[in-house]
Amino acid sequence: MAGRISISNPSDLLHKIKGHAQSPISSLLLLIATWIRTNSPAGFVRSLLEDLSSNRSPSIALDRYRNYCSDPSGNCSCSYDLPNDKEIISIEKKTHVRRLDVLLRVLVIIQQLLQENKHSSKRDIYYTHPAVFAEQAVVDHAIIDICILLKCSRHHLNVVPVGKGLVMGWLRFAEAGRKNCCIRSPNTAYPIPVCIEDVEDVVSVANYILVVEKESVFQRLANDKFCENNRCIVITGRGYPDVPTRRFLHHLVEQLHLPVYCLVDSDPYGFDILTTYRFGSMQMAYDAKLMRVPEIQWLGVFPSDFEEYHLPDRCRLHLTPEDKRKVEAMLSRCYLHKEAPQWRLELEIMLRKGVKFEIEALSVYSISFLSKEYIPVKIQHGKHM
């Protein structure tokens, strides 16, 4: 977090701002003044003060992050750590006035949360000014801008998500002083902690971590006592993983140094979920270093598994036009060319054959084929990429 400064004579600043009273953006400038008067981040304040003292309209420079692009040459500027561009938000642009209004309203709410040591969800923030914000996505975008502006993560703002991830297996950890001893009942699901900063004393005797895309597969493994029989940890984000699930997985890999595998459907959305775990998402590229898990190995199901395991035709589904467009877009991502060419080859097979299938298609042989044969054999013989 950036350092903080105090404004020694805020009345001078207010006087300068009130000079804009006839302007339609005067209320926005007063919001800026409110924020400046309360020890706000030094870089932000300095920038606004310089603009005001020079009689320029205030503007904000935001770093922009990009963890992938569509340049296959490998000579792009995409990075998991560094910004690759800047965006200037200025009240001189009509399209930016509302965006700054929203950003500053959300900043005031966050300031109150931090001062009172309270936490809030993004949805709570939306309902403080629903007529102004209009939709949840507007608040989400503002929070991302604020994280970039203050060079912090969302949890530093006391804005917390509603967790949806689950974990089970040979694991024990403390959360805010409360012990979670999954190891006593390794086939029982526990909710993944929302605040990773509260997680400590992580202990495990597991051989590996398995991430599964769907809760239905997670429950199948629980019913088959997969964790108990294979001495492992299983995690699911129940579809696209939320921030707590990704951060918790990152934390476990960092603390335990265990191999980590991922099992997803052989379809465009399963593959996208896989890449989100390994490379991070574009939306939260600024925070990729805290969430991506570069060590993760793709265990399946591969598009090539359909023929490898001689699955019957009734298990296959045809790619829709939307599916094909999504696959084509993913094939152009630079990180697949540079870091995961084998993954890209499998994605090409999916597009070329025009078919997809679910993890559960493996149950055509037996209800427990996945847990008794497919996963253990693949891990034992290193059939992952």
Side-chain angles (χ1 to χ4, degrees), residues 13 16-17 20 29 32 36 43-61 88-92 100:
L13 179 59
K16 181 177 282 288
I17 289 176
H20 294 267
L29 291 171
I32 295 175
I36 289 176
F44 182 35
V45 174
R46 190 178 302 111
S47 173
L48 293 176
L49 286 175
E50 288 173 354
D51 286 340
L52 289 168
S53 63
S54 302
N55 292 317
R56 295 192 302 264
S57 295
S59 63
I60 301 171
I88 305 299
I89 305 175
S90 170
I91 57 176
E92 288 186 337
L100 274 169

Side-chain angles (χ1 to χ4, degrees), residues 166 168 212-224 234-239 263 265 358-361 363 367 370-371:
L166 300 172
M168 64 179 174
V212 297
E213 174 188 347
K214 299 186 292 190
E215 186 178 9
S216 60
V217 175
F218 183 91
Q219 293 299 340
R220 174 76 268 142
L221 298 179
N223 290 338
D224 289 343
V234 177
I235 287 174
T236 181
R238 297 203 275 187
L263 184 67
D265 285 339
E358 297 182 283
I359 299 167
E360 291 91 337
S363 298
I367 197 68
L370 182 69
S371 59

Side-chain angles (χ1 to χ4, degrees), residues 129-296:
H129 302 289
V132 175
F133 297 146
E135 58 181 346
Q136 183 66 53
V138 172
V139 174
D140 297 350
H141 194 182
I143 290 172
I144 289 173
D145 284 345
I146 291 166
C147 287
I148 294 172
L149 178 68
L150 305 185
K151 301 187 185 304
C152 69
S153 298
R154 194 168 69 190
H155 60 275
H156 293 127
L157 307 178
N158 283 7
V159 178
V160 296
V162 177
K164 64 172 186 171
L166 300 172
V167 61
M168 64 179 174
W170 295 71
L171 176 67
R172 188 183 70 208
F173 61 93
E175 178 189 0
R178 185 180 70 254
K179 289 185 178 180
N180 290 280
C181 199
C182 311
I183 201 167
R184 288 181 180 172
S185 181
N187 305 305
T188 300
Y190 288 76
I192 284 177
V194 170
C195 187
I196 305 306
E197 282 64 36
D198 290 340
V199 174
E200 55 187 6
D201 299 331
V202 178
V203 177
S204 177
V205 290
N207 295 320
Y208 59 85
I209 300 169
L210 175 66
V211 180
V212 297
E213 174 188 347
K214 299 186 292 190
E215 186 178 9
S216 60
V217 175
F218 183 91
Q219 293 299 340
R220 174 76 268 142
L221 298 179
N223 290 338
D224 289 343
K225 298 184 178 180
F226 182 82
C227 289
E228 182 179 334
N229 296 330
N230 292 276
R231 194 177 282 257
C232 64
I233 298 166
V234 177
I235 287 174
T236 181
R238 297 203 275 187
Y240 277 94
D242 57 9
V243 170
T245 301
R246 292 163 60 191
R247 292 193 66 214
F248 185 68
L249 176 62
H250 176 94
H251 185 68
L252 289 188
V253 173
E254 195 173 59
Q255 293 293 312
L256 302 175
H257 306 288
L258 293 173
V260 54
Y261 307 104
C262 190
L263 184 67
V264 296
D265 285 339
S266 179
D267 65 18
Y269 294 92
F271 188 86
D272 199 26
I273 288 168
L274 171 70
T275 61
T276 298
Y277 279 115
R278 177 167 173 178
F279 302 107
S281 64
M282 181 67 85
Q283 184 183 36
M284 301 194 71
Y286 68 92
D287 232 3
K289 61 182 178 294
L290 293 180
M291 288 186 281
R292 75 185 191 99
V293 182
E295 301 90 346
I296 203 164

